[in-house]
Amino acid sequence: MPVVRIFSKVAKQALLSTPGCGCQPLTVAVRNISFSPRQVTSDASFHSVSFSETDHPKVLITGGLGQLGVGLAKLLRKRYGKNNVILSDIRKPQNSIFHSGPFIYSDILDYKNLREIVVNNRITWLVHYSALLSAVGEANVALARSVNITGLHNILDIAAEHGLRLFVPSTIGAFGPTSPRNPTPDLCVQRPRTIYGVSKVHAELMGEYYHHRYGLDFRCLRYPGIISADSMPGGGTTDYAVQIFHDAIKTGKFECNLRPDTRLPMMYIDDCLRATLEVMEAPAETLSMRTYNINAMSFTPEELAQELQKQMPELEVTYEVDPVRQAIADSWPMNFDDSNARNDWAWKHDYDLPELVQTMLNFFGSETRMARFN
């Protein structure tokens, strides 16, 4: 039993056993106490029972209106039931998203609001997607520090206090220019040069600390660049790989802000979401670590353009290098070593570059392409 609950129970019994003492009800300020919100043995097994044997998890997704949240909610609702997955954000959702399942306003910087949501909705899994991405974070370091670090602290404290299974994504941006780049292993020198990367290393280490210190069931995947058709680029350095499809369909021209030979690891969104579900469902005893690389493909802007031009030969691609984004990309891995994920919980990707391009074009529709180029 958590120490806080023991303390509260003993204090309450002491008050109730002293009639007429005139004492006021005791309130325990959980967040301000100095000891662990949860005490467990170092060899404990966390949430190792599969959810096929128990009730479905009740999931809260923060930052749910970003590139990944809506897709993950759709996947989890199909698996666990519509009402068991709650999307949250500080922005107003589109009607289609609002009516697709539970949505709630949640500001990760508002600890009280976040705690109430977890308690009132009996949350058991928390997927923390709220973050400012690499290029946006460099343009507003103070805000990135607040959202990516202070917000994370709120999430960690609440997850530990209420015994949640917590997923926090990391990124290729968690590595730096002194990291081995091809391939980049799970464990190596990181030392990123962006506030986004620094905040993600902080998240990895804090999550692992809370796991070992408080028994928090923390799980983390380092995502490559994620490519999806049904969301607009969100300010990341790898977003050129999404923007090229939008521009190709709309104008038949694309200006890339990275050098044509800039190689980065990438992944189609369906693989990313499936990996997230699989690591969340993996029995604790199969996890040899709490933060894993996952990989699918690795390509350059030139290689992506050439694959796209096989089906859209009229596409014109030019290069106007953004020095800020290029410097970021040059400090990131060229290829991920994800052998631990493949060995521990049988991770395997489905999409390589040809399948990615075909899937993206199928999403936009052949009629649109024909109208543009005929």
Side-chain angles (χ1 to χ4, degrees):
M1 178 182 293
V3 170
V4 174
R5 293 177 186 172
I6 296 173
F7 180 60
S8 299
K9 184 176 180 180
V10 171
K12 182 178 181 181
Q13 290 175 344
L15 288 175
L16 292 177
S17 65
T18 311
C21 69
C23 299
Q24 296 297 316
L26 178 64
T27 300
V28 178
V30 174
R31 195 159 189 255
N32 294 326
I33 58 180
S34 60
F35 47 81
S36 163
R38 288 168 56 84
Q39 296 289 332
V40 297
T41 59
S42 60
D43 60 348
S45 177
F46 307 103
H47 302 274
S48 59
V49 178
S50 70
F51 282 96
S52 62
E53 302 170 7
T54 67
D55 292 336
H56 288 320
K58 192 66 177 290
V59 186
L60 174 66
I61 303 174
T62 68
L65 297 184
Q67 182 187 22
L68 300 176
V70 174
L72 184 64
K74 183 178 180 180
L75 178 65
L76 296 182
R77 285 167 178 166
K78 183 177 180 180
R79 190 168 184 85
Y80 302 131
K82 175 179 175 181
N83 293 324
N84 285 323
V85 180
I86 303 174
L87 269 179
S88 71
D89 211 302
I90 59 174
R91 295 179 291 160
K92 181 179 178 181
Q94 298 176 357
N95 286 338
S96 60
I97 296 174
F98 183 77
H99 293 294
S100 66
F103 179 89
I104 194 168
Y105 172 89
S106 176
D107 181 356
I108 62 167
L109 297 178
D110 186 339
Y111 180 86
K112 183 175 181 292
N113 166 252
L114 189 62
R115 192 168 182 235
E116 287 175 349
I117 291 171
V118 167
V119 171
N120 291 343
N121 293 281
R122 298 176 57 82
I123 298 301
T124 56
W125 284 13
L126 202 165
V127 177
H128 179 49
Y129 275 151
S130 296
L132 262 66
L133 300 183
S134 55
V136 175
E138 290 305 289
N140 195 335
V141 172
L143 181 60
R145 186 175 64 238
S146 179
V147 173
N148 295 7
I149 296 179
T150 304
L152 170 76
H153 292 174
N154 289 340
I155 292 290
L156 287 168
D157 286 348
I158 290 169
E161 178 185 352
H162 296 285
L164 309 185
R165 180 171 295 185
L166 173 62
F167 177 82
V168 179
S170 190
T171 167
I172 55 175
F175 297 94
T178 57
S179 306
R181 298 188 66 209
N182 192 19
T184 302
D186 285 304
L187 300 176
C188 66
V189 173
Q190 292 183 256
R191 306 194 71 81
R193 295 282 181 87
T194 67
I195 185 60
Y196 176 60
V198 169
S199 71
K200 286 303 183 181
V201 173
H202 178 78
E204 293 176 14
L205 296 178
M206 287 295 290
E208 292 181 17
Y209 172 78
Y210 269 61
H211 169 67
H212 293 295
R213 179 69 175 84
Y214 301 137
L216 174 64
D217 191 356
F218 171 81
R219 303 179 183 210
C220 176
L221 296 178
R222 294 191 186 109
Y223 290 157
I226 304 302
I227 301 172
S228 62
D230 58 353
S231 62
M232 293 300 295
T237 300
T238 59
D239 277 352
Y240 83 86
V242 177
Q243 190 67 54
I244 189 173
F245 290 96
H246 289 276
D247 290 358
I249 298 300
K250 291 179 181 178
T251 67
K253 299 179 180 181
F254 174 65
E255 182 178 276
C256 184
N257 52 30
L258 296 179
R259 290 194 315 267
D261 62 347
T262 304
R263 183 171 300 279
L264 293 168
M266 300 285 187
M267 179 177 287
Y268 184 57
I269 189 170
D270 286 9
D271 276 341
C272 172
L273 299 179
R274 181 171 54 81
T276 303
L277 172 62
E278 288 177 1
V279 77
M280 285 296 280
E281 287 189 334
E285 60 269 18
T286 67
L287 304 179
S288 64
M289 56 187 62
R290 289 286 151 171
T291 300
Y292 289 90
N293 293 343
I294 53 170
N295 198 24
M297 65 195 93
S298 182
F299 56 75
T300 67
E302 184 175 45
E303 290 170 349
L304 176 58
Q306 289 173 350
E307 189 66 35
L308 188 51
Q309 286 167 336
K310 291 178 182 178
Q311 301 195 50
M312 303 178 67
E314 296 87 351
L315 174 63
E316 298 178 13
V317 178
T318 57
Y319 297 89
E320 185 65 35
V321 176
D322 177 348
V324 173
R325 290 176 188 257
Q326 187 64 54
I328 293 172
D330 288 341
S331 71
W332 284 357
M334 300 169 66
N335 194 23
F336 261 159
D337 175 0
D338 62 353
S339 55
N340 286 313
R342 294 176 185 268
N343 292 333
D344 287 1
W345 43 277
W347 160 243
K348 183 180 180 181
H349 70 280
D350 289 334
Y351 293 83
D352 288 310
L353 182 56
E355 292 83 7
L356 165 71
V357 170
Q358 186 62 60
T359 301
M360 292 288 283
L361 292 179
N362 288 345
F363 180 90
F364 287 109
S366 59
E367 291 183 1
T368 303
R369 298 199 305 278
M370 291 174 63
R372 176 66 61 186
F373 295 109
N374 289 343

